[in-house]
Each structure stands twice: as C-alpha cells, then as structure tokens.
Amino acid sequence: MQSEAETTTEFYSVKAYTKRRPAFTQGGLRHLFFHQGEELEKAGAIVRFGARILIDDAAFLAWLKAGNGRHIAGRGAA
C-alpha cells in the first residue's frame, strides 16, 4: 500500500521543470546537481532514473527554502 506522499509526488525532467518554474535554468539546475547531487538525493529532492535526473517539485523547493542552495560550489560550499 502506498502512503499519501508517494501517491502525490510529481517528478519532472530538467527541461519540464524549467518550463514549470522559469526562475530556474537548465544549466543552473545541472550545475547544482553536479555539485550538490548527493545531498539532493538524500533529501529526496531528486531521483536518478538511469541517466535521467527527475526532480520532486515539493521536496526540491523545501530543500531550497531550508537554505541549502546558498552555496553551490567553490568557497563556502558543503
């Protein structure tokens, strides 16, 4: 039996996500995934499906709102 969270989760490809949320660019998301991919996976914000990366909209936005996108790479990055 699926929980409510599993039945309401919506995944988007990077291209579809940038159309849904135009504040994000494909390059910016891919840069973020390259540098913070493991953290995003642990948080459930992205899942890997073969070579594809799928974004869980609610979990990704929650991850950003928690301040985790403040330092993506370089100085200050985790």
PDB file of all heavy atoms in Angstrom, residues 33-52:
ATOM      1  N   PHE A  33      23.063  20.102  -9.579  1.00  0.00           N
ATOM      2  CA  PHE A  33      23.055  18.648  -9.442  1.00  0.00           C
ATOM      3  C   PHE A  33      24.467  18.081  -9.459  1.00  0.00           C
ATOM      4  O   PHE A  33      24.768  17.119  -8.758  1.00  0.00           O
ATOM      5  CB  PHE A  33      22.233  17.995 -10.550  1.00  0.00           C
ATOM      6  CG  PHE A  33      20.795  18.424 -10.578  1.00  0.00           C
ATOM      7  CD1 PHE A  33      20.059  18.313 -11.733  1.00  0.00           C
ATOM      8  CD2 PHE A  33      20.174  18.959  -9.457  1.00  0.00           C
ATOM      9  CE1 PHE A  33      18.727  18.701 -11.769  1.00  0.00           C
ATOM     10  CE2 PHE A  33      18.845  19.371  -9.491  1.00  0.00           C
ATOM     11  CZ  PHE A  33      18.126  19.239 -10.642  1.00  0.00           C
ATOM     12  N   PHE A  34      25.343  18.679 -10.256  1.00  0.00           N
ATOM     13  CA  PHE A  34      26.729  18.206 -10.315  1.00  0.00           C
ATOM     14  C   PHE A  34      27.414  18.397  -8.967  1.00  0.00           C
ATOM     15  O   PHE A  34      28.119  17.514  -8.488  1.00  0.00           O
ATOM     16  CB  PHE A  34      27.495  18.956 -11.414  1.00  0.00           C
ATOM     17  CG  PHE A  34      28.930  18.527 -11.534  1.00  0.00           C
ATOM     18  CD1 PHE A  34      29.260  17.371 -12.229  1.00  0.00           C
ATOM     19  CD2 PHE A  34      29.946  19.265 -10.960  1.00  0.00           C
ATOM     20  CE1 PHE A  34      30.571  16.959 -12.340  1.00  0.00           C
ATOM     21  CE2 PHE A  34      31.267  18.868 -11.063  1.00  0.00           C
ATOM     22  CZ  PHE A  34      31.584  17.708 -11.755  1.00  0.00           C
ATOM     23  N   HIS A  35      27.193  19.552  -8.352  1.00  0.00           N
ATOM     24  CA  HIS A  35      27.885  19.871  -7.106  1.00  0.00           C
ATOM     25  C   HIS A  35      27.156  19.406  -5.852  1.00  0.00           C
ATOM     26  O   HIS A  35      27.794  19.105  -4.846  1.00  0.00           O
ATOM     27  CB  HIS A  35      28.144  21.380  -7.017  1.00  0.00           C
ATOM     28  CG  HIS A  35      29.166  21.834  -8.004  1.00  0.00           C
ATOM     29  ND1 HIS A  35      30.512  21.626  -7.835  1.00  0.00           N
ATOM     30  CD2 HIS A  35      29.035  22.462  -9.196  1.00  0.00           C
ATOM     31  CE1 HIS A  35      31.176  22.108  -8.859  1.00  0.00           C
ATOM     32  NE2 HIS A  35      30.295  22.620  -9.711  1.00  0.00           N
ATOM     33  N   GLN A  36      25.832  19.361  -5.875  1.00  0.00           N
ATOM     34  CA  GLN A  36      25.055  19.032  -4.682  1.00  0.00           C
ATOM     35  C   GLN A  36      24.147  17.813  -4.886  1.00  0.00           C
ATOM     36  O   GLN A  36      23.214  17.597  -4.115  1.00  0.00           O
ATOM     37  CB  GLN A  36      24.187  20.231  -4.280  1.00  0.00           C
ATOM     38  CG  GLN A  36      24.975  21.467  -3.907  1.00  0.00           C
ATOM     39  CD  GLN A  36      25.730  21.291  -2.610  1.00  0.00           C
ATOM     40  OE1 GLN A  36      25.239  20.657  -1.686  1.00  0.00           O
ATOM     41  NE2 GLN A  36      26.913  21.849  -2.534  1.00  0.00           N
ATOM     42  N   GLY A  37      24.420  17.032  -5.921  1.00  0.00           N
ATOM     43  CA  GLY A  37      23.563  15.913  -6.270  1.00  0.00           C
ATOM     44  C   GLY A  37      23.338  14.912  -5.149  1.00  0.00           C
ATOM     45  O   GLY A  37      22.211  14.467  -4.913  1.00  0.00           O
ATOM     46  N   GLU A  38      24.409  14.550  -4.445  1.00  0.00           N
ATOM     47  CA  GLU A  38      24.262  13.575  -3.359  1.00  0.00           C
ATOM     48  C   GLU A  38      23.366  14.109  -2.248  1.00  0.00           C
ATOM     49  O   GLU A  38      22.526  13.374  -1.718  1.00  0.00           O
ATOM     50  CB  GLU A  38      25.625  13.181  -2.808  1.00  0.00           C
ATOM     51  CG  GLU A  38      26.408  12.286  -3.750  1.00  0.00           C
ATOM     52  CD  GLU A  38      27.715  11.819  -3.148  1.00  0.00           C
ATOM     53  OE1 GLU A  38      27.788  11.661  -1.900  1.00  0.00           O
ATOM     54  OE2 GLU A  38      28.657  11.612  -3.925  1.00  0.00           O
ATOM     55  N   GLU A  39      23.525  15.371  -1.905  1.00  0.00           N
ATOM     56  CA  GLU A  39      22.695  15.980  -0.860  1.00  0.00           C
ATOM     57  C   GLU A  39      21.231  16.053  -1.310  1.00  0.00           C
ATOM     58  O   GLU A  39      20.325  15.818  -0.520  1.00  0.00           O
ATOM     59  CB  GLU A  39      23.215  17.371  -0.489  1.00  0.00           C
ATOM     60  CG  GLU A  39      24.579  17.349   0.166  1.00  0.00           C
ATOM     61  CD  GLU A  39      24.596  16.535   1.443  1.00  0.00           C
ATOM     62  OE1 GLU A  39      23.655  16.641   2.246  1.00  0.00           O
ATOM     63  OE2 GLU A  39      25.561  15.768   1.623  1.00  0.00           O
ATOM     64  N   LEU A  40      21.032  16.398  -2.560  1.00  0.00           N
ATOM     65  CA  LEU A  40      19.673  16.464  -3.096  1.00  0.00           C
ATOM     66  C   LEU A  40      19.013  15.091  -3.112  1.00  0.00           C
ATOM     67  O   LEU A  40      17.830  14.961  -2.800  1.00  0.00           O
ATOM     68  CB  LEU A  40      19.689  17.060  -4.509  1.00  0.00           C
ATOM     69  CG  LEU A  40      19.923  18.568  -4.558  1.00  0.00           C
ATOM     70  CD1 LEU A  40      20.427  18.991  -5.926  1.00  0.00           C
ATOM     71  CD2 LEU A  40      18.660  19.311  -4.197  1.00  0.00           C
ATOM     72  N   GLU A  41      19.790  14.066  -3.438  1.00  0.00           N
ATOM     73  CA  GLU A  41      19.252  12.699  -3.419  1.00  0.00           C
ATOM     74  C   GLU A  41      18.887  12.273  -2.001  1.00  0.00           C
ATOM     75  O   GLU A  41      17.830  11.687  -1.777  1.00  0.00           O
ATOM     76  CB  GLU A  41      20.252  11.713  -4.009  1.00  0.00           C
ATOM     77  CG  GLU A  41      20.288  11.732  -5.523  1.00  0.00           C
ATOM     78  CD  GLU A  41      21.165  10.645  -6.080  1.00  0.00           C
ATOM     79  OE1 GLU A  41      20.645   9.528  -6.289  1.00  0.00           O
ATOM     80  OE2 GLU A  41      22.368  10.916  -6.297  1.00  0.00           O
ATOM     81  N   LYS A  42      19.755  12.573  -1.045  1.00  0.00           N
ATOM     82  CA  LYS A  42      19.487  12.228   0.360  1.00  0.00           C
ATOM     83  C   LYS A  42      18.221  12.906   0.857  1.00  0.00           C
ATOM     84  O   LYS A  42      17.468  12.333   1.642  1.00  0.00           O
ATOM     85  CB  LYS A  42      20.669  12.624   1.253  1.00  0.00           C
ATOM     86  CG  LYS A  42      21.874  11.737   1.080  1.00  0.00           C
ATOM     87  CD  LYS A  42      23.013  12.217   1.960  1.00  0.00           C
ATOM     88  CE  LYS A  42      24.304  11.472   1.658  1.00  0.00           C
ATOM     89  NZ  LYS A  42      25.433  12.018   2.414  1.00  0.00           N
ATOM     90  N   ALA A  43      17.981  14.126   0.383  1.00  0.00           N
ATOM     91  CA  ALA A  43      16.797  14.881   0.798  1.00  0.00           C
ATOM     92  C   ALA A  43      15.546  14.456   0.035  1.00  0.00           C
ATOM     93  O   ALA A  43      14.446  14.899   0.358  1.00  0.00           O
ATOM     94  CB  ALA A  43      17.046  16.377   0.600  1.00  0.00           C
ATOM     95  N   GLY A  44      15.712  13.626  -0.987  1.00  0.00           N
ATOM     96  CA  GLY A  44      14.566  13.200  -1.787  1.00  0.00           C
ATOM     97  C   GLY A  44      14.131  14.237  -2.804  1.00  0.00           C
ATOM     98  O   GLY A  44      13.055  14.130  -3.389  1.00  0.00           O
ATOM     99  N   ALA A  45      14.957  15.249  -3.029  1.00  0.00           N
ATOM    100  CA  ALA A  45      14.604  16.313  -3.961  1.00  0.00           C
ATOM    101  C   ALA A  45      14.795  15.890  -5.413  1.00  0.00           C
ATOM    102  O   ALA A  45      14.127  16.410  -6.304  1.00  0.00           O
ATOM    103  CB  ALA A  45      15.427  17.565  -3.670  1.00  0.00           C
ATOM    104  N   ILE A  46      15.727  14.967  -5.645  1.00  0.00           N
ATOM    105  CA  ILE A  46      15.914  14.414  -6.987  1.00  0.00           C
ATOM    106  C   ILE A  46      16.063  12.899  -6.872  1.00  0.00           C
ATOM    107  O   ILE A  46      16.449  12.386  -5.823  1.00  0.00           O
ATOM    108  CB  ILE A  46      17.142  15.003  -7.725  1.00  0.00           C
ATOM    109  CG1 ILE A  46      18.455  14.637  -7.027  1.00  0.00           C
ATOM    110  CG2 ILE A  46      17.003  16.497  -7.926  1.00  0.00           C
ATOM    111  CD1 ILE A  46      19.698  14.970  -7.838  1.00  0.00           C
ATOM    112  N   VAL A  47      15.739  12.235  -7.954  1.00  0.00           N
ATOM    113  CA  VAL A  47      15.992  10.799  -8.062  1.00  0.00           C
ATOM    114  C   VAL A  47      16.649  10.566  -9.419  1.00  0.00           C
ATOM    115  O   VAL A  47      16.404  11.306 -10.371  1.00  0.00           O
ATOM    116  CB  VAL A  47      14.710   9.938  -7.929  1.00  0.00           C
ATOM    117  CG1 VAL A  47      14.106  10.068  -6.560  1.00  0.00           C
ATOM    118  CG2 VAL A  47      13.697  10.285  -8.987  1.00  0.00           C
ATOM    119  N   ARG A  48      17.479   9.560  -9.449  1.00  0.00           N
ATOM    120  CA  ARG A  48      18.134   9.199 -10.708  1.00  0.00           C
ATOM    121  C   ARG A  48      17.403   7.999 -11.284  1.00  0.00           C
ATOM    122  O   ARG A  48      17.145   7.027 -10.589  1.00  0.00           O
ATOM    123  CB  ARG A  48      19.601   8.916 -10.480  1.00  0.00           C
ATOM    124  CG  ARG A  48      20.320  10.160  -9.989  1.00  0.00           C
ATOM    125  CD  ARG A  48      21.809   9.955  -9.850  1.00  0.00           C
ATOM    126  NE  ARG A  48      22.403  11.077  -9.149  1.00  0.00           N
ATOM    127  CZ  ARG A  48      22.904  12.148  -9.728  1.00  0.00           C
ATOM    128  NH1 ARG A  48      22.863  12.255 -11.039  1.00  0.00           N
ATOM    129  NH2 ARG A  48      23.429  13.110  -9.026  1.00  0.00           N
ATOM    130  N   PHE A  49      17.045   8.108 -12.539  1.00  0.00           N
ATOM    131  CA  PHE A  49      16.338   7.054 -13.258  1.00  0.00           C
ATOM    132  C   PHE A  49      17.178   6.764 -14.485  1.00  0.00           C
ATOM    133  O   PHE A  49      17.042   7.420 -15.519  1.00  0.00           O
ATOM    134  CB  PHE A  49      14.928   7.532 -13.624  1.00  0.00           C
ATOM    135  CG  PHE A  49      14.074   6.489 -14.272  1.00  0.00           C
ATOM    136  CD1 PHE A  49      13.626   5.399 -13.543  1.00  0.00           C
ATOM    137  CD2 PHE A  49      13.715   6.594 -15.596  1.00  0.00           C
ATOM    138  CE1 PHE A  49      12.832   4.432 -14.135  1.00  0.00           C
ATOM    139  CE2 PHE A  49      12.921   5.636 -16.204  1.00  0.00           C
ATOM    140  CZ  PHE A  49      12.482   4.543 -15.465  1.00  0.00           C
ATOM    141  N   GLY A  50      18.101   5.817 -14.346  1.00  0.00           N
ATOM    142  CA  GLY A  50      19.090   5.603 -15.391  1.00  0.00           C
ATOM    143  C   GLY A  50      19.971   6.833 -15.474  1.00  0.00           C
ATOM    144  O   GLY A  50      20.480   7.314 -14.476  1.00  0.00           O
ATOM    145  N   ALA A  51      20.107   7.371 -16.668  1.00  0.00           N
ATOM    146  CA  ALA A  51      20.910   8.578 -16.849  1.00  0.00           C
ATOM    147  C   ALA A  51      20.113   9.854 -16.577  1.00  0.00           C
ATOM    148  O   ALA A  51      20.685  10.936 -16.501  1.00  0.00           O
ATOM    149  CB  ALA A  51      21.464   8.623 -18.271  1.00  0.00           C
ATOM    150  N   ARG A  52      18.800   9.717 -16.413  1.00  0.00           N
ATOM    151  CA  ARG A  52      17.940  10.894 -16.195  1.00  0.00           C
ATOM    152  C   ARG A  52      17.927  11.306 -14.739  1.00  0.00           C
ATOM    153  O   ARG A  52      18.000  10.470 -13.840  1.00  0.00           O
ATOM    154  CB  ARG A  52      16.507  10.593 -16.598  1.00  0.00           C
ATOM    155  CG  ARG A  52      16.307  10.522 -18.083  1.00  0.00           C
ATOM    156  CD  ARG A  52      14.847  10.474 -18.348  1.00  0.00           C
ATOM    157  NE  ARG A  52      14.392  11.848 -18.513  1.00  0.00           N
ATOM    158  CZ  ARG A  52      13.540  12.223 -19.432  1.00  0.00           C
ATOM    159  NH1 ARG A  52      13.019  11.342 -20.235  1.00  0.00           N
ATOM    160  NH2 ARG A  52      13.184  13.475 -19.541  1.00  0.00           N
TER     161      ARG A  52
END
